[in-house]
């Protein structure tokens, strides 16, 4: 069967590409390995689908060429995305700079996309595993499930490796490599980090607003601030997700990675305040004294790490011990030894080199008529709707370009 374009992967990028290409009078085939399209959409934003963010900037994206996606986001960014969904009959709402469907249900996003695909008569095949793809003369041939499909154009939108149960298993990299594209080694991003030490069992479940600095050996590689969640294995929460790609990349390079947490980032007079309290609260133990500053589990963990008896009187605390406690409150060290992996990651870092696709069209520089979009490319955004915005933007860009041709 012959088509104008075949799209491999029915995630947000592939669905947007299919809609845009079909609106430009192209006959479109959309292939999906899972039993339903758009499964990953349902899991985004804790089931609410964080579509985009009011703050869109070049600094929100990472990769071999961090500046690569932003000129395309300027073409199809937040306002264009809102207009697109409103054209499908879905309202978009904003909360603290984060944009969601007005229903606050990710299923609404998936429903309006699939309804539009049906209305445009896009052929969708689910449960279809692409075994190989090739180009002969001016025609792409896609093989799988005992079938062969042909098209003038081919879009690879198969995603990365994050959350295989939702469709991303890395198979898109194999297809890209078969067309001689270079793949920058993928690794998990926006994921919780594992720490070294027995003290995590003491503080598991504690949430604490902290600022953090991440060091690879002695070099500062990332900074962030927000609510950190301590777990039995390490640290989690949005600020940890934000710095995780830098920490994991450093671990991959065999560097020692340490996160220094300021557990009281807004307390600029900690020592002076503690000394003042010491004069009026001399009847307290060291443990109960510092519980006036921090979560009691964190206090206990700090004292254990410093080998200071919790029951010791605050009056009898040595000056050296007093300063050590204050120092650890402001610089609580966590040695990073791993991460929770692709199953828990929100996105994949690495992917097809952006040096090998045309900025502004996403057409391959190696093979005309081939396009690569979304998470399959070496582009990953920070937490807050940036990866979904890129998925929709890149799908639109590729679909529009095929419409022009």
């Amino acid at each position: 069967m012959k088509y104008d374009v075949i799209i491999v992967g029915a995630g947000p990028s592939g669905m947007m590409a299919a809609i845009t290409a079909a609106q430009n009078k192209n006959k479109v085939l959309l292939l999906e390995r899972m039993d339903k399209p758009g499964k990953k959409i349902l899991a985004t934003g804790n089931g609410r689908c964080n579509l985009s963010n009011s703050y869109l900037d070049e600094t929100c994206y990472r990769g071999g060429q961090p500046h690569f996606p932003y000129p395309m986001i300027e073409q199809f960014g937040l306002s264009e995305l809102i207009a697109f969904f409103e054209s499908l009959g879905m309202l978009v709402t904003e909360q603290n700079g984060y944009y969601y469907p007005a229903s606050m249900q990710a299923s609404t996003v998936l429903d309006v996309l699939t309804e539009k695909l049906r209305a445009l008569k896009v052929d969708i095949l689910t449960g279809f595993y692409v075994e190989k793809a090739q180009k002969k003369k001016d025609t792409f041939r896609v093989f799988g499930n005992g079938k062969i499909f042909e098209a003038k154009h081919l879009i690879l939108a198969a995603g990365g490796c994050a959350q295989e149960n939702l469709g991303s298993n890395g198979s898109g990299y194999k297809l890209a490599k078969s067309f001689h594209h270079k793949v920058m080694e993928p690794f998990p991003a926006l994921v919780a980090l594992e720490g070294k030490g027995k003290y995590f069992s003491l503080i598991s479940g504690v949430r604490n607003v902290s600022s953090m600095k991440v060091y690879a050996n002695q070099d500062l590689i990332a900074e962030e601030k927000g609510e950190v969640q301590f777990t039995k294995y390490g640290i989690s929460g949005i600020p940890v997700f934000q710095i995780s790609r830098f920490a994991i990349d450093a671990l991959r390079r065999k560097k020692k990675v340490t996160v220094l947490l300021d557990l009281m980032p807004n307390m600029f007079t900690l020592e002076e305040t503690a000394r003042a309290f010491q004069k009026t609260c001399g009847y307290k133990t060291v443990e109960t004294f510092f519980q006036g500053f921090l979560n009691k589990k964190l206090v206990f963990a700090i004292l254990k790490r410093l080998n200071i008896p919790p029951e010791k009187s605050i009056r009898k605390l040595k000056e050296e011990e007093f300063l050590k406690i204050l120092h650890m409150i402001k610089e609580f060290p966590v040695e990073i030894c791993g991460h929770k992996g692709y199953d828990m990651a929100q996105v994949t870092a690495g992917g097809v080199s952006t040096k090998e696709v045309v900025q502004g069209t996403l057409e391959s520089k190696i093979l005309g008529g081939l396009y690569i979009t979304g998470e399959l490319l070496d582009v990953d955004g920070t937490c807050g709707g940036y990866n979904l915005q890129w998925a929709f933007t890149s799908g639109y860009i590729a679909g529009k370009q095929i419409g022009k041709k």
Side-chain angles (χ1 to χ4, degrees), residues 16-18 20-22 24 26 155 361 371 373 394-404:
M16 175 63 89
T20 308
N24 287 309
N26 287 288
I155 298 178
T361 70
Y371 297 79
T373 69
S394 58
Y396 171 82
I397 293 290
K400 182 182 177 184
Q401 183 66 18
I402 288 170
K404 286 181 179 178

Short mmCIF file of all heavy atoms in Angstrom, two decimals, residues 16-18 20-22 24 26 155 361 371 373 394-404:
data_model
loop_
_atom_site.label_atom_id
_atom_site.label_comp_id
_atom_site.label_asym_id
_atom_site.label_seq_id
_atom_site.Cartn_x
_atom_site.Cartn_y
_atom_site.Cartn_z
N MET A 16 0.84 14.60 16.19
CA MET A 16 0.84 15.97 15.66
C MET A 16 1.33 16.00 14.22
O MET A 16 0.76 16.69 13.36
CB MET A 16 1.71 16.87 16.53
CG MET A 16 1.88 18.29 16.00
SD MET A 16 0.33 19.22 15.91
CE MET A 16 0.31 19.93 17.56
N ALA A 17 2.39 15.24 13.92
CA ALA A 17 2.91 15.19 12.56
C ALA A 17 1.85 14.64 11.60
O ALA A 17 1.67 15.15 10.49
CB ALA A 17 4.17 14.32 12.50
N ALA A 18 1.12 13.61 12.04
CA ALA A 18 0.09 13.01 11.20
C ALA A 18 -1.04 13.99 10.91
O ALA A 18 -1.51 14.12 9.77
CB ALA A 18 -0.46 11.76 11.89
N THR A 20 -0.92 17.34 11.05
CA THR A 20 -0.43 18.46 10.24
C THR A 20 -0.25 18.04 8.78
O THR A 20 -0.63 18.78 7.86
CB THR A 20 0.89 18.99 10.81
OG1 THR A 20 0.74 19.26 12.20
CG2 THR A 20 1.30 20.28 10.11
N ALA A 21 0.34 16.86 8.56
CA ALA A 21 0.53 16.39 7.19
C ALA A 21 -0.80 16.11 6.51
O ALA A 21 -0.99 16.45 5.33
CB ALA A 21 1.40 15.13 7.21
N ALA A 22 -1.73 15.52 7.23
CA ALA A 22 -3.04 15.19 6.65
C ALA A 22 -3.84 16.44 6.33
O ALA A 22 -4.58 16.48 5.34
CB ALA A 22 -3.82 14.29 7.60
N ASN A 24 -2.67 18.98 5.16
CA ASN A 24 -2.07 19.49 3.93
C ASN A 24 -2.27 18.52 2.76
O ASN A 24 -1.44 18.44 1.85
CB ASN A 24 -0.58 19.78 4.14
CG ASN A 24 -0.36 21.03 4.97
OD1 ASN A 24 -0.91 22.08 4.70
ND2 ASN A 24 0.44 20.90 6.02
N ASN A 26 -2.18 15.23 2.50
CA ASN A 26 -1.35 14.05 2.34
C ASN A 26 -2.08 12.81 2.84
O ASN A 26 -2.83 12.86 3.82
CB ASN A 26 -0.04 14.20 3.14
CG ASN A 26 0.91 15.18 2.49
OD1 ASN A 26 1.50 14.88 1.46
ND2 ASN A 26 1.06 16.34 3.08
N ILE A 155 8.64 9.62 8.63
CA ILE A 155 8.92 10.35 9.86
C ILE A 155 9.16 9.34 10.97
O ILE A 155 8.31 8.49 11.25
CB ILE A 155 7.76 11.29 10.26
CG1 ILE A 155 7.52 12.34 9.19
CG2 ILE A 155 8.06 11.96 11.61
CD1 ILE A 155 6.34 13.27 9.49
N THR A 361 13.35 22.31 9.70
CA THR A 361 12.52 21.37 8.94
C THR A 361 12.55 19.96 9.54
O THR A 361 11.62 19.18 9.35
CB THR A 361 12.96 21.26 7.47
OG1 THR A 361 14.24 20.60 7.40
CG2 THR A 361 13.05 22.63 6.82
N TYR A 371 12.52 12.26 8.12
CA TYR A 371 12.41 13.26 9.18
C TYR A 371 12.50 12.57 10.54
O TYR A 371 12.02 11.44 10.71
CB TYR A 371 11.08 14.02 9.08
CG TYR A 371 10.95 14.82 7.80
CD1 TYR A 371 10.59 14.19 6.61
CD2 TYR A 371 11.18 16.18 7.77
CE1 TYR A 371 10.48 14.90 5.43
CE2 TYR A 371 11.08 16.91 6.59
CZ TYR A 371 10.72 16.27 5.43
OH TYR A 371 10.62 16.97 4.25
N THR A 373 11.84 13.30 14.76
CA THR A 373 11.18 14.26 15.65
C THR A 373 11.20 13.80 17.10
O THR A 373 11.52 12.66 17.41
CB THR A 373 9.71 14.48 15.24
OG1 THR A 373 8.97 13.27 15.50
CG2 THR A 373 9.58 14.85 13.78
N SER A 394 7.97 19.70 17.26
CA SER A 394 8.75 18.98 16.24
C SER A 394 7.83 18.20 15.30
O SER A 394 8.10 18.11 14.09
CB SER A 394 9.76 18.04 16.92
OG SER A 394 9.12 17.12 17.77
N GLY A 395 6.74 17.63 15.83
CA GLY A 395 5.78 16.95 14.97
C GLY A 395 5.14 17.90 13.98
O GLY A 395 4.98 17.58 12.79
N TYR A 396 4.79 19.08 14.48
CA TYR A 396 4.19 20.10 13.60
C TYR A 396 5.17 20.53 12.50
O TYR A 396 4.79 20.64 11.33
CB TYR A 396 3.77 21.31 14.43
CG TYR A 396 3.35 22.50 13.59
CD1 TYR A 396 2.05 22.58 13.07
CD2 TYR A 396 4.24 23.52 13.30
CE1 TYR A 396 1.68 23.66 12.28
CE2 TYR A 396 3.88 24.60 12.52
CZ TYR A 396 2.59 24.67 12.01
OH TYR A 396 2.23 25.74 11.22
N ILE A 397 6.42 20.77 12.89
CA ILE A 397 7.43 21.23 11.93
C ILE A 397 7.61 20.22 10.81
O ILE A 397 7.62 20.57 9.61
CB ILE A 397 8.78 21.48 12.65
CG1 ILE A 397 8.69 22.67 13.62
CG2 ILE A 397 9.91 21.68 11.64
CD1 ILE A 397 8.54 24.02 12.98
N ALA A 398 7.74 18.94 11.16
CA ALA A 398 7.95 17.90 10.14
C ALA A 398 6.71 17.74 9.26
O ALA A 398 6.81 17.65 8.04
CB ALA A 398 8.30 16.58 10.81
N GLY A 399 5.54 17.71 9.89
CA GLY A 399 4.30 17.55 9.13
C GLY A 399 4.06 18.71 8.17
O GLY A 399 3.61 18.52 7.04
N LYS A 400 4.36 19.91 8.63
CA LYS A 400 4.19 21.09 7.78
C LYS A 400 5.14 21.07 6.60
O LYS A 400 4.78 21.44 5.48
CB LYS A 400 4.43 22.36 8.63
CG LYS A 400 4.23 23.66 7.87
CD LYS A 400 4.52 24.85 8.75
CE LYS A 400 4.40 26.16 7.99
NZ LYS A 400 4.77 27.34 8.82
N GLN A 401 6.39 20.64 6.84
CA GLN A 401 7.38 20.60 5.77
C GLN A 401 6.95 19.63 4.67
O GLN A 401 7.09 19.91 3.47
CB GLN A 401 8.74 20.20 6.34
CG GLN A 401 9.86 20.18 5.33
CD GLN A 401 10.20 21.57 4.79
OE1 GLN A 401 9.83 22.58 5.39
NE2 GLN A 401 10.88 21.63 3.66
N ILE A 402 6.42 18.49 5.08
CA ILE A 402 5.92 17.52 4.08
C ILE A 402 4.75 18.09 3.31
O ILE A 402 4.62 17.88 2.10
CB ILE A 402 5.53 16.20 4.80
CG1 ILE A 402 6.81 15.49 5.26
CG2 ILE A 402 4.73 15.28 3.88
CD1 ILE A 402 6.59 14.33 6.16
N GLY A 403 3.94 18.86 4.00
CA GLY A 403 2.81 19.53 3.31
C GLY A 403 3.29 20.48 2.23
O GLY A 403 2.72 20.55 1.15
N LYS A 404 4.39 21.17 2.51
CA LYS A 404 4.96 22.10 1.52
C LYS A 404 5.45 21.35 0.30
O LYS A 404 5.30 21.78 -0.84
CB LYS A 404 6.13 22.88 2.13
CG LYS A 404 5.71 23.97 3.12
CD LYS A 404 6.96 24.69 3.64
CE LYS A 404 6.59 25.79 4.61
NZ LYS A 404 7.79 26.46 5.15
#
